[in-house]
Amino acid sequence: MENKLKAMSRVLEVMDTLREQCPWDREQTFASLRNNTIEEVYELVGAITDGNMDDIKEELGDVLLHIVFYSKMADEQGAFDFADVCNALCDKLIYRHPHVYGDVHASTPDVVKQNWEALKLRKKARKSGLLGGVPRQLPAMVKAFRLGEKAASAGFDWEKKEDIWDKVREEIAEVDVEIVAHDKDKMEGEIGDLFFALINACRLYGIDPENALERTNQKFISRFNHVEARATEQGKMVSEIALEQLEEYWQEAKKL
């Protein structure tokens, strides 16, 4: 623990020095760092997806830098400091883990999650409603997943998870109607409904939709690279090869 405290103290001291002596660091604001923070989080997500522990360590450091940076700027404004951030986090964790710090019983992860959502609801729902706790800036897929979770925590969900597929089929049929009608605006709306239903299906079956889609992205990249390589062997570009031949290469890639 002592080494960890020393390391954290070092981070804070370096931040103080940079804020005082580095022209770039001195001119940063909450607004100017916002996009960089988003980028750093995505880089961390990428490292986690790759499973590279060295990269994860580095990207965690970058995210920590931003937390320390924001805390330093807030301290300069007399709003809060890094200690306040840490203490607020600890207070929240203790409050939301009554099965650890109180007398509530929770023997499974699902029960813990239900308790967590219920405790969040007590504090936030009065101010902004049940769905108000889902950040507006979240990417659409993540937001859809969280909206489904929030609604389900209040009992607004399918009775059986298998019932979601009736909803998916219903949404596909509605997309078909708008395709026939050539109504692009309504088609967009119905495709959005279809996405939302599929994301809810992922939630009900314990699948992370982002991971599922990225898995397919990587699969597609690998297979298309094979198709492109086969085209190169013939001294041609993919666009110069007949679709039937491309499909043959694609099936080769699937077997590989």
Side-chain angles (χ1 to χ4, degrees), residues 228 231-232 234-241 246:
E228 199 168 27
T232 301
Q234 299 182 39
K236 296 181 179 180
M237 298 179 65
V238 171
S239 59
E240 298 171 331
I241 297 178
L246 293 177

Side-chain angles (χ1 to χ4, degrees), residues 115-141:
N115 290 341
W116 177 281
E117 292 294 343
L119 290 167
K120 285 179 67 176
L121 178 60
R122 286 182 193 173
K123 283 198 168 184
K124 293 188 175 181
R126 298 189 192 98
K127 297 181 180 179
S128 56
L130 180 61
L131 302 182
V134 179
R136 291 181 294 106
Q137 299 84 357
L138 282 177
M141 182 179 294

Side-chain angles (χ1 to χ4, degrees), residues 92-105:
K92 180 189 293 185
L93 290 174
I94 291 170
Y95 171 72
R96 292 186 182 172
H97 288 79
H99 54 287
V100 176
Y101 295 97
D103 55 5
V104 174
H105 179 69

Side-chain angles (χ1 to χ4, degrees), residues 141-142 144-146 195 198-203 206-215:
M141 182 179 294
V142 180
F145 192 89
R146 291 294 290 135
F195 275 138
L198 286 170
I199 290 169
N200 268 294
C202 289
R203 174 181 59 81
I207 302 296
D208 185 317
E210 183 71 25
N211 289 345
L213 183 57
E214 180 57 21
R215 183 173 179 176

Side-chain angles (χ1 to χ4, degrees), residues 115-215:
N115 290 341
W116 177 281
E117 292 294 343
L119 290 167
K120 285 179 67 176
L121 178 60
R122 286 182 193 173
K123 283 198 168 184
K124 293 188 175 181
R126 298 189 192 98
K127 297 181 180 179
S128 56
L130 180 61
L131 302 182
V134 179
R136 291 181 294 106
Q137 299 84 357
L138 282 177
M141 182 179 294
V142 180
K143 184 189 293 186
F145 192 89
R146 291 294 290 135
L147 289 172
E149 283 188 322
K150 289 286 187 181
S153 71
F156 189 74
D157 206 0
W158 282 266
E159 289 187 11
K160 298 182 296 181
K161 64 182 180 181
E162 294 82 5
D163 294 341
I164 185 62
W165 300 113
D166 290 333
K167 184 62 176 175
V168 170
R169 284 186 284 269
E170 175 189 324
E171 298 299 347
I172 291 174
E174 292 179 0
V175 170
D176 286 340
V177 169
E178 301 309 332
I179 290 174
V180 173
H182 301 289
D183 191 323
K184 189 172 182 181
D185 182 65
K186 290 184 178 179
M187 194 189 309
E188 181 182 273
E190 296 301 342
I191 289 176
D193 291 346
L194 175 57
F195 275 138
F196 195 82
L198 286 170
I199 290 169
N200 268 294
C202 289
R203 174 181 59 81
L204 290 165
Y205 282 84
I207 302 296
D208 185 317
E210 183 71 25
N211 289 345
L213 183 57
E214 180 57 21
R215 183 173 179 176

